[in-house]
Amino acid sequence: MRPLIRTACLRARVRAMATLPTTAAFSSTRAPSPCPSPSRARRLLFAARFLPSAPPPPAGARAFRTSAAAAEAAVEVGGVKIAREDVVKEDDPTNNVPDTIYSKIGLQLHRRDNHPLGILKNTIYDYFDKSFPGQFVKFDDLCPLVSTKQNFDDVLVPADHVSRSYNDTYYVDSQTVLRCHTSAHQAELLREGHRHFLVIGDVYRRDSIDSTHYPVFHQVTVFPRLYLNVFKTRYVMNSIDLSRIQMEGFRVFSPDDWSGSGMDGTAYAATDLKKTLEGLATHLFGAVEMRWVDTYFPFTNPSFELEIYFQGDWLEVLGCGVTEQEILKSNGRTDHVAWAFGLGLERLAMVLFDIPDIRLFWSNDQRFTSQFSKGKLGVKFKPFSKFPPCYKDMSFWINDEFTENNLCEVVRGIAGDLVEEVKLIDNFTNKKGMTSHCYRIAYRSMERSLTDEEINDMQWNVREEVKSKLRVELR
Ligand code: FA5
Ligand code: MG
């Protein structure tokens, strides 16, 4: 298990939006050990990131009700109607969901057979159907609104884990979140009696807006095994989106399965897990070199990441492991063992289809959508735009509450998908102990040229909101 994480990362960490009450459940106390960087901390979302102890929001499922008036404008996911007012509650201090996030709910890109994410999902389904005929049940429209119990407690995420913070997770209220991983559904599906299942869905995490331009070696800490290395010779890799599609796989074994194998249950499950996922990687990438890296997740032990060697570098594909006994026992599976994995569809799709920018997945532009068709995995995307970015710098004195995630939320709230990157380019503390940050914002549309006027308008609005919402002093 990795050491406790610290909160040096936490200038970019738990401090709640200025609009949140000071009673927000997370403290900003610094822990002792050094943090590699906020970006590295993000990558480790479920790998040993801890806060100094802070009480979790009360756990417990909450019925989700939509008023009749709002129902008309609501989106529907898995039979649940979700209206804006159910998710975005500007006056509720325990809510931090912006409209930009609400607008993604219900789009379900992974359920579109002609969309790269749908094509990839179906290819992964094919693999499980062929390898385990009739065994895996698939769930691809479970409601993304889950209780804190489902998202955290049920999968043993410690009470002081940083992923529970308002800075990292979208809270609808103190007991309801937009799931930040598909593992949120493990327990309920186990309780319903499922033994082999795949869950695919949109997951949401508050995050920075990143760009890893080659060559920027210090940014290896951003996504060390994925973006920089894989894309360095080919792309500028932009805008890690706040919502993305994850797939969860789960398989339970009973003693009958491993008795006679000469292995104990855990070793048997770990061996089967590795074999299954190596098979999946081969199914997607063809003959490919792979390696296993030990890691930590609260819900599995042992835990691993699978990396594949792709275009000259190692690429992290997924996290997985043997499920903690406590999860199985508390959900009706005493004496069983299980494995689970979680992978991000965008990461794989970007590589398989040569898609350079994660924002493109959400594009309705025909020049993007028309390039993909059902069943055609790996058709290479032909870029149709080369619009230049426009950069705007902004300097301000930060305060104790300032976090980069909160800044990014403001920028994204105004510029939406027109913001490509928000990057700290200067940082100093004066003799009085005041710290100044200078951020460079890159605006770029994937689909058209932006006018000077609209960029200036956006930047003006960003400055105003940064002042009023984050209460920083512009320089
Ligand atoms: C998890 O979310 C765990 N729930 C995965 C898991 C499930 C482990 C079951 C063990 C058992 P993590 O935060 O590392 O872990 O995300 C898992 C995968 O989601 C990553 O390997 C990656 O493929 C994808 N992913 C994570 N963060 C991002 C991101 N910022 N952008 C794109 N894909 C991401
Ligand atoms: Mg990971």
Side-chain angles (χ1 to χ4, degrees):
M1 181 167 142
R2 287 188 181 137
L4 289 193
I5 296 229
R6 64 302 347 266
T7 21
C9 349
L10 278 223
R11 186 105 42 165
R13 203 204 51 178
V14 259
R15 296 160 186 172
M17 282 290 273
T19 49
L20 288 174
T22 48
T23 51
F26 309 98
S27 90
S28 60
T29 319
R30 277 173 187 271
S33 45
C35 181
S37 80
S39 308
R40 175 162 165 72
R42 272 200 311 280
R43 197 186 79 78
L44 299 175
L45 184 70
F46 282 100
R49 294 176 64 195
F50 291 85
L51 283 180
S53 65
R62 196 185 70 103
F64 200 71
R65 266 180 255 116
T66 301
S67 73
E72 250 171 60
V75 294
E76 193 173 321
V77 184
V80 180
K81 285 215 155 101
I82 307 172
R84 177 183 180 275
E85 67 182 37
D86 294 321
V87 181
V88 182
K89 303 176 182 189
E90 277 133 1
D91 298 331
D92 180 349
T94 66
N95 178 289
N96 64 351
V97 184
D99 277 306
T100 45
I101 287 298
Y102 173 65
S103 69
K104 297 271 166 61
I105 296 175
L107 293 182
Q108 298 200 300
L109 304 178
H110 58 284
R111 299 185 81 208
R112 303 180 190 178
D113 287 341
N114 291 323
H115 190 280
L117 298 180
I119 297 166
L120 174 58
K121 179 197 81 172
N122 289 332
T123 311
I124 298 176
Y125 278 2
D126 288 346
Y127 169 74
F128 280 92
D129 287 343
K130 279 191 193 124
S131 310
F132 309 93
Q135 289 185 36
F136 275 82
V137 185
K138 293 110 173 172
F139 300 89
D140 71 355
D141 67 346
L142 297 178
C143 181
L145 287 154
V146 298
S147 66
T148 49
K149 179 173 178 298
Q150 290 170 290
N151 201 66
F152 301 122
D153 305 321
D154 282 354
V155 284
L156 312 178
V157 174
D160 56 358
H161 196 283
V162 70
S163 63
R164 291 181 182 251
S165 79
Y166 274 81
N167 196 55
D168 284 35
T169 290
Y170 288 106
Y171 279 82
V172 170
D173 57 43
S174 64
Q175 297 174 55
T176 314
V177 296
L178 285 167
R179 69 184 161 213
C180 59
H181 56 166
T182 41
S183 302
H185 299 287
Q186 280 184 13
E188 64 186 283
L189 293 173
L190 272 171
R191 278 197 301 277
E192 284 171 17
H194 297 289
R195 286 187 54 162
H196 304 70
F197 53 85
L198 299 173
V199 179
I200 301 91
D202 33 331
V203 300
Y204 300 80
R205 296 179 188 180
R206 290 184 95 240
D207 218 334
S208 297
I209 300 169
D210 276 320
S211 180
T212 50
H213 299 262
Y214 173 77
V216 187
F217 291 103
H218 68 273
Q219 285 192 333
V220 164
T221 53
V222 178
F223 290 104
R225 304 197 200 103
L226 176 67
Y227 294 127
L228 264 190
N229 295 334
V230 169
F231 293 97
K232 71 184 174 192
T233 50
R234 301 189 299 145
Y235 301 130
V236 172
M237 171 70 198
N238 294 317
S239 291
I240 308 308
D241 213 332
L242 305 177
S243 51
R244 53 189 81 98
I245 314 292
Q246 247 192 17
M247 176 181 285
E248 188 88 0
F250 205 94
R251 179 159 151 89
V252 180
F253 301 96
S254 59
D256 287 349
D257 293 315
W258 71 80
S259 65
S261 71
M263 287 183 258
D264 65 20
T266 302
Y268 183 84
T271 306
D272 187 80
L273 169 67
K274 288 184 170 177
K275 201 176 99 206
T276 303
L277 293 176
E278 286 169 9
L280 174 62
T282 308
H283 183 71
L284 296 175
F285 291 93
V288 71
E289 207 181 325
M290 307 170 213
R291 72 181 182 193
W292 290 98
V293 179
D294 290 338
T295 188
Y296 166 83
F297 295 102
F299 25 87
T300 50
N301 186 17
S303 305
F304 315 101
E305 283 170 349
L306 177 61
E307 298 186 343
I308 61 169
Y309 197 68
F310 186 79
Q311 299 190 345
D313 279 295
W314 290 102
L315 161 68
E316 179 202 325
V317 178
L318 54 85
C320 64
V322 178
T323 304
E324 285 285 2
Q325 275 300 306
E326 197 182 326
I327 296 177
L328 293 169
K329 278 192 197 136
S330 46
N331 295 291
R333 289 283 172 190
T334 312
D335 298 331
H336 288 64
V337 296
W339 56 240
F341 70 82
L343 61 80
L345 290 190
E346 281 88 346
R347 286 191 175 185
L348 293 175
M350 291 173 95
V351 172
L352 290 163
F353 293 92
D354 262 5
I355 294 175
D357 191 309
I358 204 163
R359 290 177 298 170
L360 280 163
F361 289 114
W362 301 92
S363 172
N364 286 323
D365 192 313
Q366 281 267 312
R367 290 170 296 176
F368 176 76
T369 54
S370 64
Q371 293 196 29
F372 308 98
S373 45
K374 186 175 175 181
K376 300 240 164 75
L377 183 80
V379 168
K380 299 304 177 206
F381 170 67
K382 293 183 202 69
F384 52 80
S385 77
K386 289 193 179 76
F387 302 108
C390 173
Y391 298 102
K392 294 282 175 189
D393 292 352
M394 183 172 57
S395 299
F396 47 83
W397 299 108
I398 63 163
N399 54 30
D400 280 352
E401 279 74 43
F402 177 79
T403 73
E404 194 173 295
N405 280 2
N406 289 345
L407 171 67
C408 289
E409 200 78 17
V410 167
V411 181
R412 199 182 283 273
I414 289 162
D417 278 353
L418 298 180
V419 60
E420 179 172 277
E421 181 184 36
V422 176
K423 184 179 174 188
L424 182 66
I425 55 168
D426 189 36
N427 175 7
F428 70 88
T429 302
N430 70 10
K431 284 186 188 146
K432 291 185 197 156
M434 292 163 73
T435 300
S436 165
H437 280 183
C438 180
Y439 280 91
R440 176 159 295 167
I441 303 174
Y443 297 99
R444 171 162 35 189
S445 166
M446 302 302 298
E447 290 152 11
R448 63 190 175 85
S449 289
L450 298 175
T451 65
D452 283 349
E453 200 187 346
E454 69 184 315
I455 291 165
N456 289 338
D457 274 358
M458 282 190 287
Q459 182 66 7
W460 193 85
N461 288 330
V462 165
R463 289 174 67 88
E464 288 304 301
E465 277 206 15
V466 162
K467 245 190 320 190
S468 62
K469 284 198 171 161
L470 306 185
R471 297 193 209 130
V472 298
E473 193 187 324
L474 293 183
R475 299 182 54 221

